[in-house]
Amino acid sequence: MATGWGSLLQEEQQLEELARQAVDRALAEGVLLRTSQEPSSSDVVSYAPFTLFPSLVPSALLEQAYAVQMDFNMLVDAVSQNAAFLEQTLSSTIKRDNFTAHLFDIHKQVLKEGIAQTVFLGLNRSDYMFQCNADGSPALKQIEINTISASFGGLASRTPAVHRHVLNVLNKTKEAAKILSNNPSKGLALGITRAWELYGSANALVLLIAQEKERNIFDQRAIENELLARNIHVIRRRFEDVSEKGSLDQDRRLFMDGQEVAVVYFRDGYMPSQYSPQNWEARLLLERSCAVKCPDIATQLAGTKKVQQELSRMGVLEMLLPGQPETVARLRATFAGLYSLDMGEEGDQAIAEAIVAPSQFVLKPQREGGGNNLYGEEMVQALERLKDSEERASYILMEKIKPEPFGNCLLRPGSPVQVVQCISELGIFGVYVRQGKTLVMNKHVGHLLRTKAIEHADGGVAAGVAVLDNPYPV
Ligand code: ADP
Ligand code: MG
């Protein structure tokens, strides 16, 4: 892929002026984050970091990613309903990983009692990088799928205007018009709306499980605003509030502060540090209720890295999606190499290969939120330490995707404007709603492009590594 903006990137003074304009437009559009100093207050906010220019993405790969999103929605939904597959897949992992074990425990308890909810809502984001093939052509390879708290749909709805502005300033109106419109927050809200309608109680609320310190509040507000415009009221509460003031009636309807809850939307609860014993109790209460959880606990488990790895095993997709060879082929085409580290020959071999060629692999624990994976020498040391211990089953190995770097400026508050070598990660937002056994909604609702400097192996926007971007289709 050519860099596209080659000559523009060379004029330092022009870049600085352009950056000033871009930042002001971003602020005006609401591409905002709270500051790390004041993460609980909106008194002082700043712009969410973003690229000065949109980054070039091959149209064919964009189309492929959109085309496979409904398949991924169906796949996640199928996994979440297959208790035997989840149990078998996670059996070795939960012996060594307390967090996954705790989630699984809740899953088992809910199954034993009987699932009260009848409507299911998935809001996910499937992330990809563009692998550079030996012949130089790019290929779409999935990094992971996020089934809980998939973020930046709100801010991604506001960044196209910023990049159009930058190109218009440069008199590149034709190029500006090529920037795709994008409105994931609306699509995500439509999914919540459908679930809320099917729950069928006109006065019931949407309960957004929020963190106390939330820098990314404007991203969440974008969805809340869409819901309010449809007369659906959202209350933001923490797990702690749920344990103090949440309750179930005898039909397991969920009440919060005395008001009935139709949909629980988690923007918390995906990392171990987010759970005190009290919070685990609150999560269990929510799961036991008949409110629509987004996601329900089984769908959260369907998004683990261990499940991702098992899905790539021959025959597994065919088992989960029987009689759908074309769907299976579309899904499989996006899979990178994924390797189990369960005790045994297969795991031994994967470890041996990664130790010999560390630059080809990534070691991943069952964690979300960025910054948990191991690369290079650190990965080798971890593998040496883990290789004779059953603890290794709590990790998976993945082929490292190597996109072709390109130049762009990453704009962040307080940082100089400079051109750096970057790579991008494309996410597609998916929404589905199931009532009983019937899928009543299955859509893709927009995209998110995040770009980071090549020296960072890991990390997203919230982790301070990647910045918001837009695909410039070529
Ligand atoms: P998390 O759940 O923490 O977001 P990811 O699997 O998305 O975990 O990994 C975090 C980041 O690490 C990704 O955003 C990407 O930048 C990088 N990464 C993950 N897997 C790979 C891979 N196979 N090849 C290259 N980079 C990867
Ligand atoms: Mg990720």
Side-chain angles (χ1 to χ4, degrees):
M1 264 188 288
T3 68
W5 314 111
S7 61
L8 294 171
L9 291 170
Q10 270 140 41
E11 314 213 4
E12 225 170 85
Q13 263 181 351
Q14 189 185 25
L15 287 181
E16 278 178 19
E17 169 53 20
L18 208 52
R20 278 191 288 273
Q21 295 220 28
V23 165
D24 287 345
R25 184 69 193 245
L27 287 161
E29 292 293 333
V31 184
L32 304 173
L33 285 180
R34 286 175 173 167
T35 63
S36 45
Q37 293 80 23
E38 300 261 10
S40 312
S41 157
S42 301
D43 282 356
V44 178
V45 299
S46 194
Y47 63 93
F50 64 98
T51 56
L52 181 55
F53 294 99
S55 296
L56 274 55
V57 171
S59 317
L61 299 194
L62 252 178
E63 280 161 29
Q64 187 190 350
Y66 266 105
V68 77
Q69 187 56 42
M70 276 95 85
D71 302 326
F72 271 115
N73 291 345
M74 274 198 325
L75 178 61
V76 169
D77 192 42
V79 170
S80 79
Q81 293 176 80
N82 195 325
F85 174 73
L86 278 177
E87 171 132 33
Q88 197 195 355
T89 298
L90 295 172
S91 62
S92 55
T93 309
I94 59 179
K95 282 192 203 132
R96 295 290 151 177
D97 185 82
N98 280 334
F99 180 63
T100 313
H102 221 135
L103 294 172
F104 191 75
D105 221 43
I106 293 180
H107 168 62
K108 290 293 274 190
Q109 284 187 61
V110 173
L111 280 181
K112 197 164 160 216
E113 187 180 19
I115 299 173
Q117 92 184 72
T118 55
V119 177
F120 296 81
L121 165 64
L123 303 180
N124 64 53
R125 199 188 69 220
S126 182
D127 291 336
Y128 307 88
M129 281 184 173
F130 313 117
Q131 167 85 301
C132 184
N133 291 330
D135 65 0
S137 65
L140 187 78
K141 292 294 162 191
Q142 188 183 48
I143 295 297
E144 63 155 350
I145 189 157
N146 302 281
T147 61
I148 180 166
S149 197
S151 58
F152 291 108
L155 298 191
S157 306
R158 285 153 174 73
T159 54
V162 181
H163 279 149
R164 285 187 198 122
H165 181 99
V166 167
L167 295 173
N168 282 329
V169 167
L170 294 166
N171 271 318
K172 296 196 169 290
T173 44
K174 263 208 308 248
E175 287 84 350
K178 278 187 72 179
I179 303 217
L180 306 169
S181 293
N182 192 30
N183 201 349
S185 47
K186 183 173 176 196
L188 297 170
L190 285 174
I192 297 175
T193 301
R194 191 67 185 273
W196 180 87
E197 286 166 356
L198 291 171
Y199 181 87
S201 175
N203 294 319
L205 306 170
V206 172
L207 167 64
L208 188 154
I209 301 296
Q211 299 177 32
E212 170 99 59
K213 297 178 179 165
E214 181 53 83
R215 290 191 65 197
N216 202 14
I217 185 120
F218 303 102
D219 187 56
Q220 302 176 359
R221 292 291 193 203
I223 298 169
E224 290 178 46
N225 298 346
E226 292 281 353
L227 289 169
L228 192 59
R230 292 166 180 77
N231 238 330
I232 299 172
H233 290 257
V234 180
I235 52 171
R236 303 175 59 88
R237 296 288 185 275
R238 300 163 310 148
F239 277 122
E240 286 81 357
D241 302 316
V242 173
S243 58
E244 278 166 29
K245 293 187 184 148
S247 61
L248 305 187
D249 72 2
Q250 73 258 33
D251 299 325
R252 286 199 262 162
R253 286 186 301 177
L254 174 66
F255 289 84
M256 189 64 213
D257 300 331
Q259 288 175 290
E260 187 173 0
V261 174
V263 179
V264 181
Y265 174 38
F266 289 100
R267 292 296 294 253
D268 191 11
Y270 49 88
M271 295 200 292
S273 61
Q274 295 164 338
Y275 285 98
S276 63
Q278 186 193 14
N279 291 6
W280 280 118
E281 283 303 314
R283 180 72 193 263
L284 177 61
L285 180 92
L286 297 172
E287 289 306 319
R288 291 184 55 231
S289 79
C290 67
V292 184
K293 269 79 64 185
C294 180
D296 68 309
I297 197 101
T299 304
Q300 183 171 356
L301 288 168
T304 54
K305 272 107 186 151
K306 183 63 193 175
V307 166
Q308 181 187 7
Q309 171 260 302
E310 282 298 310
L311 290 175
S312 76
R313 211 181 270 288
M314 272 303 148
V316 171
L317 289 181
E318 287 82 353
M319 180 274 291
L320 290 163
L321 301 168
Q324 300 173 69
E326 284 156 14
T327 303
V328 166
R330 275 193 301 268
L331 289 164
R332 189 164 284 136
T334 68
F335 289 175
L338 288 148
Y339 311 93
S340 166
L341 293 187
D342 286 2
M343 298 308 275
E345 218 174 291
E346 187 189 337
D348 290 345
Q349 199 188 332
I351 291 174
E353 283 177 31
I355 288 176
V356 175
S359 67
Q360 310 294 329
F361 294 90
V362 183
L363 180 63
K364 297 190 173 189
Q366 308 306 309
R367 291 290 175 272
E368 302 295 326
N372 301 298
N373 301 333
L374 297 172
Y375 305 80
E377 191 44 40
E378 237 188 325
M379 176 186 75
V380 172
Q381 280 171 16
L383 289 173
E384 295 285 6
R385 180 174 61 79
L386 290 168
K387 71 181 177 197
D388 299 316
S389 146
E390 287 192 17
E391 196 193 333
R392 75 189 214 188
S394 64
Y395 293 80
I396 63 154
L397 263 179
M398 184 172 181
E399 171 195 0
K400 186 162 185 216
I401 307 305
K402 296 180 178 166
E404 190 183 328
F406 54 85
N408 206 333
C409 297
L410 310 182
L411 305 180
R412 302 174 203 280
S415 292
V417 179
Q418 59 190 32
V419 178
V420 292
Q421 287 298 298
C422 302
I423 54 175
S424 295
E425 185 169 347
L426 173 71
I428 306 290
F429 289 95
V431 175
Y432 61 90
V433 177
R434 172 166 54 84
Q435 185 173 36
K437 291 277 160 203
T438 316
L439 209 55
V440 296
M441 181 188 274
N442 183 11
K443 313 194 332 162
H444 50 66
V445 298
H447 55 267
L448 166 73
L449 192 72
R450 292 173 297 167
T451 294
K452 64 178 185 182
I454 47 174
E455 61 261 29
H456 296 287
D458 205 280
V461 179
V465 171
V467 308
L468 302 174
D469 196 351
N470 278 290
Y472 183 84
V474 287

